Amino acid sequence: MIQQQQKAYSSSAAAASANKKATTTTTDEGQTTNRGKRKWSKPSAKIKAGEDPTKQVENPNDLYIEGIPEDMELSELTDYFSQRVGMLRRDEETGAVKAKMYKSKDGQPKGDALLCFYKKESVDMAIAYFDDVEIRDGHRLKLSVAKFTPTTKKKKPAKKKHKKLIDQTKELGWDEDERVHIVIHPLFDPKESYGDENYFNDLKAELTEEFEKFGEVEKVTIFEHNPKGYVVVKYKDNIAASMCVQKMNGRFFAKNKLEADFYDGISDYYVAESEESKAARAKAWEAFLEGE
């Protein structure tokens, strides 16, 4: 009887020892812990397991700017870029633009800043067209996609939700995504077409080739009888249209300084041909046929 009890106790002790081993875990550092006593916290959501915590990560919607003049205000900088490459993100509750001018410990500007855009294409366009641009005498901007080091800090308690004051998806309408029509003038003088029946066909082909450098063109409309030489070009997307405005505004074509801007949705550039113009054109055509 005693031998049977000793055998039973021996079996129970062995089972307990095996169970203890099964609940023991060895960490990467070689430390041993019991699962029943302590739980390991999960890796930070911002740093994937096995990644270098010091490795910097790009944020494609954010633009990092260096070389900013010390006396330039943040509002001036945000206006400069938002008017040229696209809309900046805003805080949904306060409506404030998400942008930051970096300063030293004593509060002096360090010459760099961060701008957060609504679309990554705005960052791409800014770098393509404004990197190394002299924004003021002696001050050339250096632009790059913003980078940051993922944090391992604990998440702050969630803030109480407030009603959104703004919805930027509504701002994108005609003011952003749908703005694809560009008005440019003066690109021609109607009198130049007198005596040349192919004048406007050739002009349209030449302009289309130039406009396509900025993106896919859907339509080019020449207002042949407008004395100010208006042309409207329609792009497939707003990014290409914005590039066109940036590059064409202030540029010279046939000795004329051009003005380029987005169509306002109101103006009508159509002008009917006057009787005087018809007579002058007919006279010029006759002279052409006679070889004069």
Side-chain angles (χ1 to χ4, degrees):
M1 185 69 165
I2 295 175
Q3 290 179 346
Q4 289 178 345
Q5 288 179 343
Q6 288 177 337
K7 187 176 181 180
Y9 291 151
S10 178
S11 299
S12 298
S17 177
N19 185 55
K20 183 177 181 181
K21 290 181 179 179
T23 58
T24 302
T25 304
T26 302
T27 67
D28 293 337
E29 292 79 11
Q31 296 176 337
T32 302
T33 60
N34 291 330
R35 290 178 185 170
K37 294 183 179 180
R38 182 173 62 182
K39 292 184 179 180
W40 289 99
S41 60
K42 294 181 180 180
S44 170
K46 295 186 178 181
I47 300 180
K48 295 181 180 179
E51 282 191 351
D52 180 0
T54 63
K55 181 180 179 181
Q56 290 191 317
V57 179
E58 288 188 348
N59 189 336
N61 288 55
D62 295 351
L63 179 69
Y64 180 61
I65 308 173
E66 299 175 272
I68 303 168
E70 293 182 358
D71 61 341
M72 177 174 278
E73 297 291 336
L74 181 60
S75 59
E76 183 180 352
L77 186 69
T78 55
D79 287 346
Y80 181 86
F81 280 98
S82 63
Q83 291 171 8
R84 289 166 171 79
V85 299
M87 188 168 66
L88 290 164
R89 294 204 305 275
R90 292 179 178 273
D91 186 280
E92 294 179 345
E93 296 178 6
T94 66
V97 170
K98 291 190 175 182
K100 179 180 181 180
M101 193 86 81
Y102 293 100
K103 296 183 179 181
S104 61
K105 292 182 179 180
D106 58 357
Q108 297 301 313
K110 296 173 63 178
D112 57 344
L114 177 72
L115 300 185
C116 304
F117 286 92
Y118 193 85
K119 291 191 171 185
K120 69 174 291 295
E121 288 81 4
S122 295
V123 176
D124 296 339
M125 188 167 77
I127 294 173
Y129 287 93
F130 295 98
D131 184 38
D132 201 36
V133 165
E134 190 172 41
I135 193 168
R136 287 188 190 169
D137 291 343
H139 292 276
R140 288 188 174 275
L141 299 179
K142 182 180 179 182
L143 309 181
S144 60
V145 178
K147 296 181 180 180
F148 67 97
T149 302
T151 179
T152 57
K153 294 181 180 179
K154 294 182 179 180
K155 292 183 178 180
K156 295 181 179 180
K159 294 182 179 180
K160 183 179 179 181
K161 290 185 177 181
H162 297 281
K163 184 179 180 181
K164 292 183 181 180
L165 295 181
I166 63 168
D167 183 356
Q168 284 192 277
T169 57
K170 295 180 180 179
E171 293 183 35
L172 287 175
W174 177 256
D175 293 332
E176 187 74 13
D177 275 359
E178 295 179 9
R179 294 206 305 174
V180 294
H181 296 82
I182 307 302
V183 180
I184 309 174
H185 76 99
L187 281 167
F188 64 92
D189 183 342
K191 295 178 181 179
E192 296 173 352
S193 67
Y194 296 171
D196 185 356
E197 63 177 356
N198 293 318
Y199 176 82
F200 285 113
N201 288 333
D202 293 342
L203 177 64
K204 185 174 183 178
E206 181 180 356
L207 293 177
T208 300
E209 182 179 357
E210 186 65 24
F211 295 150
E212 285 178 341
K213 293 179 180 179
F214 313 117
E216 185 174 343
V217 173
E218 292 192 345
K219 187 177 182 181
V220 174
T221 304
I222 299 175
F223 294 89
E224 300 178 0
H225 306 300
N226 191 306
K228 293 186 177 180
Y230 277 94
V231 172
V232 173
V233 54
K234 180 184 178 183
Y235 282 95
K236 185 176 181 179
D237 57 65
N238 172 262
I239 297 299
S242 298
M243 289 184 180
C244 178
V245 172
Q246 175 59 32
K247 287 298 182 180
M248 297 300 287
N249 190 44
R251 182 177 175 180
F252 282 86
F253 180 77
K255 298 182 179 181
N256 295 318
K257 187 176 183 180
L258 303 179
E259 293 183 24
D261 204 350
F262 289 99
Y263 177 55
D264 59 14
I266 302 173
S267 301
D268 184 0
Y269 303 106
Y270 174 78
V271 174
E273 187 176 16
S274 65
E275 293 301 322
E276 182 181 356
S277 174
K278 288 180 181 179
R281 182 163 55 84
K283 185 177 181 179
W285 181 244
E286 289 177 5
F288 171 76
L289 293 176
E290 294 174 4
E292 295 182 8

